[in-house]
Amino acid sequence: MNLTNLTIDDLKRGWHQTATALSCNYCDASWEPTTAIEMIEQHLTIVHGGNQSSLIHLDSRYNTLTAKQQNLLTAFATGIKDADLAKQFQLAAATIRHQKFTFREKAKQAKLYLAIYQSVFESGQTSNDLIALPEQPGIVDDRFAITEDEVAQTLKQYFDFDHEPLQLKRWPKKQKTIVMILTRIIDEIPLNQPLSEAELNAYLRPIYFDYTTLRRYLIDYGFLKRTVDGRQYWRTTTQED
């Protein structure tokens, strides 16, 4: 699932609209724009166990719910009474009520954060600002003078954002374009997590068949660093990180 291109409404219903079709958020299934919503919901139920359950248990680094929280949310969705739920989980009823309160508070925090983020980054006032890049080991020239608008347009040409996982369509010729696609590829690598070469390759291999080239350029342009013996790699940070 590509969260970058999905709205909150898309996530809540389990499908999204592209230029030519209605597409499932979880697989490659797609339908004609005139397809009845009931048919799409049937697909979500039969193939994915329902959108709500799939969303709660989504295997994504952005899903920070613990297994216990996922189970509680699944139970809350059934409408079960607090007292019965407390017995089922062998918890005090007060604990269940407190957990509901915690979920509501987190939702309020998320709402405020989203409003702040959108007011800062989606107001149209910063679209021509230069993006933050890692510190470069060589000479910094116009390859690194890249705006948000340039990145957005370039990424559309080189990635299929309807495809999961992320895949690079072709390797660009211009160095500035390479830098721009690397800014997206590096997002697939976890921060603050040392990786062996095999672990790093596991992240890069699905993106592009020549993953060794990806690895080399990520290092050359400062997005990744490695130990002298090449046994361990880690993602560098920018001011935005």
Side-chain angles (χ1 to χ4, degrees):
M1 178 184 290
N2 190 332
L3 294 176
T4 302
N5 292 330
L6 298 177
T7 66
I8 291 178
D9 285 340
D10 292 338
L11 293 171
K12 287 165 62 176
R13 66 192 178 201
W15 56 271
H16 60 282
Q17 187 164 5
T18 67
T20 59
L22 305 179
S23 298
C24 177
N25 290 350
Y26 305 100
C27 68
D28 294 331
S30 61
W31 302 269
E32 294 292 331
T34 56
T35 302
I37 302 304
E38 290 78 7
M39 181 179 295
I40 302 176
E41 292 177 345
Q42 186 178 38
H43 164 85
L44 289 168
T45 300
I46 295 174
V47 178
H48 303 291
N51 179 58
Q52 187 178 76
S53 178
S54 295
L55 198 56
I56 291 172
H57 297 90
L58 184 65
D59 184 12
S60 168
R61 67 176 185 269
Y62 299 111
N63 188 354
T64 59
L65 294 170
T66 65
K68 182 179 179 180
Q69 289 172 328
Q70 291 175 353
N71 290 336
L72 278 171
L73 286 169
T74 301
F76 285 143
T78 67
I80 188 173
K81 294 181 179 179
D82 290 353
D84 294 332
L85 185 58
K87 291 179 182 179
Q88 179 179 325
F89 281 86
Q90 297 183 334
L91 297 170
T95 302
I96 297 297
R97 291 194 296 272
H98 175 73
Q99 188 61 69
K100 278 187 174 180
F101 172 81
T102 301
F103 283 135
R104 286 196 296 268
E105 290 301 295
K106 287 183 177 294
K108 293 174 186 176
Q109 293 170 6
K111 185 187 294 185
L112 178 59
Y113 174 82
L114 183 60
I116 293 171
Y117 178 89
Q118 290 177 345
S119 71
V120 173
F121 294 105
E122 298 180 10
S123 63
Q125 298 177 358
T126 60
S127 60
N128 290 320
D129 288 349
L130 298 180
I131 65 170
L133 293 169
E135 183 178 351
Q136 296 301 310
I139 298 174
V140 177
D141 52 31
D142 60 1
R143 285 174 295 175
F144 307 104
I146 303 170
T147 67
E148 293 282 358
D149 284 344
E150 286 181 297
V151 173
Q153 292 301 317
T154 298
L155 297 186
K156 288 179 182 178
Q157 297 176 30
Y158 284 88
F159 293 101
D160 180 3
F161 288 113
D162 289 329
H163 189 279
E164 181 72 23
L166 183 74
Q167 280 191 348
L168 180 66
K169 297 178 183 178
R170 62 186 185 281
W171 186 254
K173 296 180 180 179
K174 295 182 179 180
Q175 293 300 306
K176 184 172 183 176
T177 306
I178 291 175
V179 175
M180 285 191 273
I181 68 166
L182 294 179
T183 65
R184 176 62 186 87
I185 291 171
I186 195 61
D187 283 343
E188 299 298 306
I189 309 301
L191 271 170
N192 305 317
Q193 182 178 328
L195 301 169
S196 67
E197 184 172 297
E199 290 171 331
L200 176 60
N201 290 342
Y203 283 102
L204 299 178
R205 189 178 287 109
I207 299 174
Y208 191 59
F209 73 95
D210 190 359
Y211 58 90
T212 57
T213 294
L214 290 184
R215 189 179 67 221
R216 176 167 60 85
Y217 273 96
L218 286 168
I219 294 170
D220 288 349
Y221 279 117
F223 290 91
L224 288 175
K225 289 188 178 181
R226 63 181 174 184
T227 56
V228 176
D229 59 12
R231 291 186 176 182
Q232 201 169 69
Y233 297 75
W234 65 95
R235 178 176 165 181
T236 58
T237 59
T238 67
Q239 292 182 348
E240 288 185 346
D241 294 326

